[in-house]
Amino acid sequence: MTPAIRSTVLACLYFAGFGCLIPFLPLWLEKVHGFSGAEIGVVLAIAGFSRALAGPLTAAWADGRSDRRAPLFMFTIVLTLGFAVLKLLSGFVAVFALILILDIAFWGLLPVVETTLLRLTRTGRPPYGVARGLASAAFVAGTTTVGFLNDATQSYWPIWAFLLAISAAMIAWSALMPREPVLARAEKREPFGDRLASGLRMLRNPEFSLFIFAAGLIQASAAFLYTAGSLVWTNVQHFSGGTVAMLWNIGTLAEVGFLIFLGGWSSRFRPETLIVAGGVGAVIRWTGLAMLPPLWILIPLQLLHAFSFAATFLGGMRFIQTLYGDDRTPTAQMIYMGLANAPTYAAAVLLSGPLYDRIGAPGYLAMTGVAAIGLVLAIMLRARTAKAALVAATA
């Protein structure tokens, strides 16, 4: 089995779990542990702020490993042990503390899985766009499976069982991943503090800083959907678990279609243009969802996930590669996730919980504002890089 196929399977396992975590963890916390919307928002937000610290530290630590599987093992073992214990806990403080750890670990895996997939599909098949599309399809499979099991059992235990099974499977699959890349002795001796400082120095690049906050805000604007989307559809619009899963899957299938079928076509556009398109899609999407539209309008709004997420994500990955090349892309991705994406998402989540408790679906309009700020920054980035390219071409 080639490294590209191994990394694709790893990504599929992770995103199958993600397909359960994102739409159904808030339901588990509300229905099983009695959390309010504000309490759900707080625990997810604190985890996001914690990732601002964990992201750069993980990047610096992983850069010093001779075996890139080390962070995979660390995070997947934490997840498996944590989910095994979760069902045994009761009381807000205990559940809060464990969910905080699990959320940091699950999101901490994201840049590790993404950059592993990016590296190992570069020289083999499937290519990155197809592999990433398959991973997004696994998100659909995870969401569909858990939604169906919830309806079939008339309970919420499948959420816990599925996450535990996926975490355990990822430990086993991590052992099958290649030990790559093996660092030279000189690189191994570089002190941890130097590696951390090297990563943080990326923020001195004004284009990189503008990018991470533009893309970070656009993607963070999904926070209300991820925090309260399933709650709105279940408690306010009274959709079944199957319909909720279907709505999540429509967005993810739009993402899959964009990455697999339009990924090559989109390469004719500059990365910054894709990020601008993502911002426009996000503004339209959240404004529409705030109106509590009927199902036939919800479907096209969910299809805008192809722009609000997929176009922003693909543009961001290409921008980082263009700016830093293959060697520094993993560290740049972790810095982006840790210092821009995670804190902005966490702040938006912290806002989303109380908004859901107080006004319900109109809370989406706050995300329209967040996306609009990201869109403005993306337009500024595009103008800046276009001017720099023109100057370079003239010279």
Side-chain angles (χ1 to χ4, degrees):
M1 188 182 299
T2 66
I5 293 176
R6 293 182 191 185
S7 64
T8 300
V9 174
L10 178 72
C12 287
L13 286 171
Y14 175 80
F15 279 95
F18 217 19
C20 175
L21 186 84
I22 291 296
F24 293 118
L25 181 61
L27 275 177
W28 170 272
L29 293 175
E30 181 191 58
K31 304 299 185 182
V32 176
H33 294 290
F35 281 31
S36 69
E39 289 169 339
I40 293 170
V42 167
V43 67
L44 298 182
I46 291 178
F49 287 123
S50 299
R51 292 197 300 272
L53 177 63
L57 292 176
T58 300
W61 175 72
D63 278 347
R65 302 301 96 193
S66 61
D67 186 350
R68 286 282 184 178
R69 297 176 300 178
L72 290 176
F73 283 125
M74 179 183 72
F75 286 127
T76 53
I77 290 171
V78 168
L79 287 171
T80 303
L81 293 176
F83 284 123
V85 172
L86 178 62
K87 203 168 189 301
L88 305 176
L89 295 183
S90 61
F92 176 78
V93 174
V95 175
F96 182 100
L98 183 57
I99 290 294
L100 176 62
I101 294 170
L102 291 173
D103 199 55
I104 291 171
F106 215 104
W107 282 90
L109 262 177
L110 179 57
V112 178
V113 171
E114 291 279 19
T115 53
T116 298
L117 188 66
L118 186 65
R119 284 197 309 272
L120 297 184
T121 56
R122 189 169 294 119
T123 57
R125 289 187 175 277
Y128 176 74
V130 173
R132 188 57 178 77
L134 291 172
S136 295
F139 184 104
V140 173
T143 305
T144 302
T145 299
V146 176
F148 172 80
L149 290 174
N150 285 347
D151 284 347
T153 62
Q154 292 295 299
S155 65
Y156 298 95
W157 68 261
I159 300 171
W160 165 80
F162 189 83
L163 288 169
L164 177 61
I166 285 292
S167 301
M170 287 193 69
I171 295 178
W173 198 260
S174 295
L176 299 178
M177 296 297 292
R179 290 172 52 95
E180 58 80 43
V182 177
L183 300 179
R185 287 187 178 181
E187 291 175 294
K188 289 180 185 179
R189 289 197 301 265
E190 185 180 8
F192 173 84
D194 290 348
R195 297 195 305 271
L196 178 61
S198 176
L200 294 176
R201 278 197 295 271
M202 291 179 172
L203 296 173
R204 294 180 182 177
N205 185 325
E207 291 181 358
F208 181 66
S209 294
L210 193 55
F211 151 72
I212 64 174
F213 288 106
L217 285 168
I218 292 170
Q219 293 196 327
S221 68
F224 192 88
L225 175 68
Y226 291 158
T227 303
S230 292
L231 301 178
V232 169
W233 291 332
T234 300
N235 299 330
V236 180
Q237 296 187 272
H238 307 294
F239 294 146
S240 68
T243 301
V244 170
M246 181 267 291
L247 286 169
W248 281 99
N249 289 342
I250 286 172
T252 309
L253 287 172
E255 172 190 331
V256 172
F258 186 93
L259 292 171
I260 293 180
F261 301 111
L262 298 179
W265 171 80
S266 67
S267 63
R268 69 183 64 186
F269 300 103
R270 290 165 47 196
E272 306 92 312
T273 301
L274 293 178
I275 298 171
V276 169
V280 172
V283 168
I284 297 172
R285 188 182 181 192
W286 311 137
T287 304
L289 288 176
M291 304 298 118
L292 284 176
L295 189 60
W296 66 272
I297 295 180
L298 276 173
I299 291 173
L301 286 174
Q302 284 299 90
L303 289 173
L304 285 174
H305 187 70
F307 291 94
S308 62
F309 173 77
T312 306
F313 167 80
L314 195 57
M317 292 297 291
R318 288 176 177 166
F319 183 84
I320 289 174
Q321 271 194 303
T322 301
L323 200 60
Y324 286 111
D326 293 344
D327 291 339
R328 299 293 287 164
T329 289
T331 298
Q333 176 73 354
M334 287 188 180
I335 293 296
Y336 160 60
M337 292 291 295
L339 294 184
N341 186 280
T344 52
Y345 176 80
V349 167
L350 193 61
L351 178 65
S352 297
L355 281 174
Y356 167 72
D357 283 341
R358 293 178 185 178
I359 63 175
Y364 277 113
L365 293 176
M367 300 300 105
T368 297
V370 172
I373 296 171
L375 175 59
V376 170
L377 294 178
I379 292 171
M380 291 171 58
L381 174 65
R382 189 181 185 283
R384 181 185 179 92
T385 54
K387 182 179 179 180
L390 180 61
V391 171
T394 303

